[in-house]
Amino acid sequence: MFTGNLPTTSSENYRIVLPQSRIPTAWYNILADMPTAMPLALNPGTGQPLQPADWAPLFPMGLIEQEYSKERYIQIPDEVRDIYRLWRPTPLIRAVRLERALDTPAHIYYKNESVSPAGSHKLNTAVAQAYYNKKEGIQSISTETGAGQWGCALAIAGDMFKMAVDVYMVKVSYQQKPYRRSIMQAYGATVTPSPSDRTASGRAILARDPETSGSLGMAISEAVEVAATSGGKTKYSLGSVLNHVMLHQTVIGQEALDAMAEVGEYPDVVIGCVGGGSNFAGIALPFLHRTLTEGVKTRLVAVEPSSCPTLTKGPYLYDFGDTAGLTPLIKMYTLGHDFVPASIHAGGLRYHGMSPIISALVNSGHIEPRAYGQNQCFEAAILFARNEGIIPAPESSHAIRAAIDEALAAKETGEKKVILFNLSGHGHFDMAAYDAYLAGKLTDNGFSPEEMVKSLATVPQI
Ligand SMILES: *Cc1c(COP(=O)(O)O)cnc(C)c1O
């Protein structure tokens, strides 16, 4: 560490920031290029494929159309692109100091989505969703939030369009991350710890398990119920999983393609962490487009926590997106909608299911899933922070762990591999997690296959 030498310098461009004119003008829709047919969402009552109109109580038509669209490019409305200009294009950074610390011949690049006003990639879709709701005259939006990042992003976006935002926040995060709650309240949102007694589903869950730490599945049930029983005044908004959310996030990968061309490199591997799949989809799908249409090969690695191993341990089948079973049935990798993951600090990765798009692409072999324990991720996060100067979100540290492992593998083989990962957010509101790690108090909560078998027992047989 204390070598007495000054660091090596270079005149290469390590920080590529495109001008605002290069913010993408359209979102890229992978549904136009899917290598296998996408299984449709089903009505749990009839078992029949859901029609677009069936989603109308929950979402505005603009978003429902995107959910089903097979158009390859969907124009970004001027009002949305105008707001994107507050922080987009985000920088593409080559992590040269990290490369040197690892003594690897690999080049490591990351797309820095932590520079958004919300501190994560989630504002990319929050702004789009608030816009389509506002355009159809909706006055308020209900939603759930895990670690609080989605709630913060929607609170900011809702406030920009002067709409009320009603957030159900997973109880354990509400207690662990009081400042995230303050951010949402600063932007005028209402925040309720979930499960709560404000909804029938919350009351039912509390009656069954009064001490529950909450889960994303439970909070989704409450937020969906609020919209479904509002008589059309309130719509529901989801920060990940759905096709239209994957779509909105593709600004990340399109900019990354553009910026990498600027430095004349192309990634051999693209990495992202996965909770519901949106930041990974955002960076990876524009590269998959080139693979599918031009044969340009890039490995895609999706990283999840080993205590919530949806893609690496779960089966691929039809399940509910929430605990109470209020959502349609969607075909995805799932640990069962009753599964309550361990209270790890990467709260944004504690979801029992996965985006149907990402699930189908894992099933078809286009995406490699991988799982890590939280201690090895925090170790990677600290190494990254001490070389690149950014404290990453605990979620993003999963992608960093994988990028470091890819770079170390390249060191073994001497390969000049090009690695790209998405820094989905910063960790400035996650310092309690870093406190626990630095004090050696972070446990690697195991995953119990028995519990998964139990929660899979309540998954409907399709
Ligand atoms: C929400 C969140 C995630 C996980 O959600 P995805 O939809 O899988 O992207 C990852 N990183 C950060 C910083 C988040 O806020």
Side-chain angles (χ1 to χ4, degrees):
M1 186 63 47
F2 300 101
T3 63
N5 296 327
L6 283 168
T8 323
T9 63
S10 163
S11 58
E12 281 181 84
N13 186 4
Y14 295 149
R15 184 169 181 278
I16 302 99
V17 186
L18 301 170
Q20 292 197 342
S21 59
R22 305 254 286 269
I23 296 172
T25 54
W27 292 299
Y28 166 61
N29 182 11
I30 188 77
L31 294 180
D33 295 314
M34 283 300 279
T36 54
M38 274 290 287
L40 294 170
L42 304 181
N43 178 321
T46 64
Q48 292 305 306
L50 229 60
Q51 300 306 313
D54 296 334
W55 295 93
L58 295 187
F59 301 109
M61 278 320 292
L63 294 175
I64 296 171
E65 279 163 21
Q66 292 178 356
E67 193 64 20
Y68 284 85
S69 172
K70 293 223 163 62
E71 290 286 314
R72 182 166 290 116
Y73 289 99
I74 295 176
Q75 197 75 23
I76 302 175
D78 286 344
E79 293 86 346
V80 173
R81 200 164 173 274
D82 204 44
I83 295 175
Y84 279 173
R85 289 163 64 193
L86 282 174
W87 73 98
R88 305 213 71 86
T90 61
L92 175 78
I93 313 275
R94 190 172 140 207
V96 186
R97 293 173 52 86
L98 179 63
E99 290 169 13
R100 288 180 191 147
L102 296 170
D103 190 24
T104 174
H107 286 185
I108 306 174
Y109 288 89
Y110 64 94
K111 192 82 165 97
N112 188 1
E113 290 298 309
S114 81
V115 301
S116 93
S120 80
H121 67 288
K122 292 213 169 72
L123 201 55
N124 296 328
T125 186
V127 170
Q129 293 193 42
Y131 166 81
Y132 287 106
N133 275 287
K134 181 75 178 187
K135 199 174 160 211
E136 292 178 32
I138 307 305
Q139 296 158 20
S140 67
I141 309 180
S142 65
T143 197
E144 73 292 329
T145 194
Q149 273 131 332
W150 169 242
C152 287
L154 195 67
I156 295 172
D159 201 33
M160 282 173 168
F161 289 100
K162 300 293 162 243
M163 305 172 75
V165 175
D166 193 6
V167 185
Y168 289 82
M169 184 172 188
V170 175
K171 193 182 280 168
V172 59
S173 296
Y174 186 91
Q175 290 157 352
Q176 277 178 356
K177 305 183 176 190
Y179 297 136
R180 277 261 165 66
R181 164 169 43 90
S182 310
I183 297 176
M184 291 182 257
Q185 289 167 338
Y187 289 102
T190 311
V191 189
T192 308
S194 167
S196 78
D197 58 10
R198 284 183 61 194
T199 65
S201 27
R203 288 189 293 272
I205 293 162
L206 284 172
R208 236 172 38 211
D209 183 4
E211 298 305 318
T212 180
S213 56
S215 71
L216 268 178
M218 295 176 194
I220 293 174
S221 296
E222 296 205 83
V224 164
E225 182 185 323
V226 166
T229 56
S230 73
K233 279 206 299 274
T234 301
K235 298 276 180 188
Y236 166 70
S237 174
L238 188 60
S240 187
V241 182
L242 296 175
N243 301 345
H244 64 264
V245 183
M246 305 298 127
L247 173 81
H248 300 153
Q249 294 295 353
T250 58
V251 289
I252 303 171
Q254 292 186 73
E255 285 177 10
L257 263 168
D258 195 2
M260 293 214 65
E262 198 71 34
V263 283
E265 295 220 84
Y266 198 84
D268 297 299
V269 53
V270 175
I271 301 166
C273 63
V274 284
S278 73
N279 87 88
F280 173 76
I283 193 152
L285 298 184
F287 288 93
L288 181 60
H289 173 237
R290 293 209 58 195
T291 305
L292 296 173
T293 59
E294 298 167 54
V296 185
K297 286 255 157 60
T298 297
R299 287 170 52 222
L300 306 176
V301 178
V303 193
E304 60 187 10
S306 44
S307 57
C308 189
T310 314
L311 291 172
T312 50
K313 296 269 172 69
Y316 183 43
L317 35 83
Y318 273 101
D319 193 7
F320 292 108
D322 71 318
T323 305
L326 300 180
T327 70
L329 287 168
I330 46 183
K331 181 105 184 248
M332 60 184 176
Y333 283 90
T334 179
L335 299 170
H337 60 276
D338 279 336
F339 187 80
V340 181
S343 300
I344 54 164
H345 284 280
L349 306 184
R350 287 180 79 230
Y351 183 58
H352 70 273
M354 183 55 62
S355 143
I357 287 177
I358 298 303
S359 294
L361 292 169
V362 166
N363 194 244
S364 63
H366 290 84
I367 294 169
E368 302 168 32
R370 190 183 290 184
Y372 287 119
Q374 58 178 350
N375 273 297
Q376 59 188 146
C377 293
F378 275 98
E379 183 198 11
I382 295 283
L383 185 66
F384 177 79
R386 294 184 69 175
N387 285 287
E388 298 301 317
I390 300 173
I391 298 267
E395 291 83 1
S396 316
S397 74
H398 290 70
I400 297 173
R401 176 76 260 171
I404 289 175
D405 284 0
E406 290 289 332
L408 291 175
K411 182 178 172 177
E412 288 289 311
T413 59
E415 192 192 345
K416 283 202 162 135
K417 199 191 297 184
V418 179
I419 300 164
L420 169 66
F421 75 87
N422 197 28
L423 184 71
S424 52
H426 67 66
H428 294 179
F429 296 103
D430 302 286
M431 294 320 292
Y434 280 88
D435 253 10
Y437 173 72
L438 293 171
K441 287 186 187 150
L442 212 58
T443 51
D444 271 314
N445 313 77
F447 163 72
S448 147
E450 298 77 36
E451 240 173 80
M452 178 183 73
V453 168
K454 215 169 82 192
S455 65
L456 285 174
T458 60
V459 170
Q461 306 283 318
I462 301 286

